Amino acid sequence: MSDRIHTLSGYFHEYQKSVSQPEEFWARIADSFHWKKRWDKVLDWNFEGPDVKWFVNAKLNITENILERHLFTIGDRPAIIWEPNDPNEAGRTLTYRDLYHEVCRFSNVLKAKGIQKGDKVIIYMPMVPEAAIAMLACARVGAIHSVVFAGFSSTALADRINDCEAKMVLTSDGNFRGAKKIPVKAVVDEALEKTTTVKEVIVYQRTGQDVQMVAGRDSWWHESVEGQSDTHQAEEMDSEDMLFILYTSGSTGKPKGVVHTIGGYMVYAKYSFENVFQYSPGDVYWCTADIGWITGHSYIVYGPLLAGATSIMFEGVPTFPDAGRFWAIVDKYQVNQFYTAPTAIRALQAHGTEPLEAYSLDSLKVLGSVGEPINEEAWHWYHTHVGKTRCPIVDTWWQTETGGILVSPLAGITPTKPAYATLPLPGIQLAIMDPEGKELTGNSVEGNLCIKFPWPGMLRTTYGDHERCQQTYFAAYKNKYFTGDGVKRDHDGYYRILGRVDDVINVSGHRMGTAEVENAINEHPLVIESAVVGYPHEVKGQGIYAYVICDMKNRTAENLVSEIKDTVTKIIGPIAKPDKIQIVPGLPKTRSGKIMRRILRKVAEGSLDNMGDTSTLLDPEVVEQIIAGRV
Ligand code: 6R9
């Protein structure tokens, strides 16, 4: 059964109901799922704790809603279509029946290896179906998965393993990405030297490269599934048991583990997927994200599979073997809904329209965008050249913390405007706040974006540190969840996201804390102090600009810059490598010792004429020196 909205008046009607009677509204949506025991109460909440519970005391297993539920109705329908990095290698299709058996088999492996309800399992894998199978098998046995993007360094991986005290790591020998073959198992080996909790490592063989297998700890995926039964009785879970932990960057140093729980996340992922993309049975849907990010969790794995959709999983990159790869895949599988990031669109836009010419793209019905604000130029290019002006664009705003899309057009229903995420989904009560903490009502207003009522997909805590969750999201405005984004509501009541108002930067749609990058830079032995800011970047949206004070010893600036870049790659991963590093004699600080980032941002973006008020600076001369040495 689908709870799809079909018309604009239907949307307004549902929205109204979701606000006036939220519990009745979500109970109706939740009724279409399979629960082992129904809830006693739909919602229990306060934002002071925060303490939010959805579908209180209900019992379920989310994988029964993906697997058993579809087995006898659409068992032969492709659930996952896998397209490998190399277009000459054969792809794979797993029907819902295949997926059921694979997940059961791997659930039995997890049990055999001693994994129990509540154990944490790290998934550090390339984009292969086994990554999704691993997530679902964890959910099936009641283990909590934490997927770590396979581009993160061994240090970043070790931090995450330690933070959640993971018992097991699932990985691969290597990873194909474009023309490159990346060692993955070797990174895990290095990470495990800095951890003590991991007892078992299971390695999926993908590239066939040489790896070291540690006796008593490491086993091969293909050997461990051999002989395992392809049926498995799913564990009974509470609606508020943890489903997964996903680490994401905030404005302070250490990434935090965002916790999502089972019942609410399940209901919200499916509901938002069906409505935003207007998925119809039989459609082929493709989201190009990596499962290491929330977009991959909610809109490659959980949302589409809960809805019984066919979800494409692509191992490679948009420009390999050439800039037509995305479009080749769209034609090959007759993709109906295509969901990607503005940074990918801008990167392809730079290759012109020629790579599109060989492809018809006739199957496309809906185009989606996620991860960062989409600029108007990219929006128009996407709309004209990919969607042939025929396909609505859904600009979907949401976050790791929100679990699912909160502000977006419903495809083909909500009239769109370039660069606008348009209107909130049913159940989402937005508030725009001014700096004094007053809600701005009416239209044509701009401020900080908050949410004033719980929704089922929201985070419940940050792992191991509830206080941090309270401080980060619920302290800035009383009784409101603060998103960290600035927003404008225009004269039509449409929402346009303006970007982060905190010290989080968004590089190619990847969230990064400036403090996190600074900490990595400071690991270089000759670095004395650093300050990192974002600046507008044509393809990436934002680039990373680092100002660094160094003890030069006998190094050249050039040497140091490249060493610092290597340090960051080693500590976090290539995605955090600064685009520009400027060695500076000092940083603009106030008398109380605070770095005036406003000035550093202005220099980085090249607006040098008006530095604003610099009277509180300890040493105004530093600003002149920084301007003179701009890179
Ligand atoms: C899903 C995801 C969240 C941050 C968010 C915002 C930015 C995401 C956006 C967007 C403008 C959109 N963001 N979607 N900004 N328009 N359609 O990306 O989660 O990685 O946690 O990032 O990304 O700044 O606060 P996450």
Side-chain angles (χ1 to χ4, degrees), residues 294 371-373 395-400 485 497 500 506 511:
I294 189 68
E372 55 182 310
D395 178 359
T396 64
W397 174 85
W398 59 297
Q399 310 177 297
T400 304
D485 279 309
I497 306 297
R500 303 288 303 197
N506 194 325
R511 255 168 89 166

Side-chain angles (χ1 to χ4, degrees), residues 82-252:
W82 178 70
E83 170 73 8
N85 179 60
D86 177 354
N88 297 317
E89 187 185 339
R92 286 163 62 191
T93 297
L94 282 92
T95 63
Y96 274 91
R97 183 169 299 105
D98 298 333
L99 187 63
Y100 167 76
H101 290 305
E102 291 305 323
V103 171
C104 285
R105 228 189 295 273
F106 202 66
S107 299
N108 289 322
V109 171
L110 293 177
K111 294 302 284 183
K113 302 252 183 220
I115 292 297
Q116 311 209 339
K117 207 170 175 166
D119 286 343
K120 322 298 183 300
V121 176
I122 294 275
I123 300 175
Y124 186 76
M125 289 180 80
M127 287 288 287
V128 290
E130 280 67 20
I133 291 167
M135 290 165 74
L136 297 176
C138 286
R140 195 161 174 97
V141 304
I144 298 155
H145 60 71
S146 185
V147 184
V148 177
F149 173 60
F152 275 120
S153 71
S154 64
T155 313
L157 175 60
D159 285 348
R160 287 155 175 77
I161 291 172
N162 286 330
D163 189 76
C164 72
E165 299 174 292
K167 239 173 123 171
M168 182 184 253
V169 176
L170 307 176
T171 188
S172 68
D173 49 354
N175 180 358
F176 291 120
R177 261 183 94 72
K180 288 185 268 186
K181 196 154 95 174
I182 297 163
V184 177
K185 173 65 164 58
V187 179
V188 172
D189 290 340
E190 224 177 277
L192 293 187
E193 283 168 21
K194 302 175 205 127
T195 63
T196 54
T197 56
V198 174
K199 303 289 172 252
E200 298 269 353
V201 177
I202 302 181
V203 187
Y204 175 73
Q205 195 168 39
R206 172 63 189 120
T207 57
Q209 65 202 88
D210 266 350
V211 294
Q212 263 180 8
M213 299 293 276
V214 175
R217 187 194 75 185
D218 302 352
S219 47
W220 288 105
W221 182 294
H222 57 273
E223 287 175 6
S224 63
V225 294
E226 230 168 74
Q228 290 291 350
S229 158
D230 63 2
T231 60
H232 170 271
Q233 181 57 51
E235 195 74 35
E236 180 170 298
M237 304 299 291
D238 188 87
S239 174
E240 282 298 335
D241 281 337
M242 283 187 214
L243 176 61
F244 64 84
I245 304 170
L246 186 57
Y247 286 85
T248 190
S249 297
S251 26
T252 51

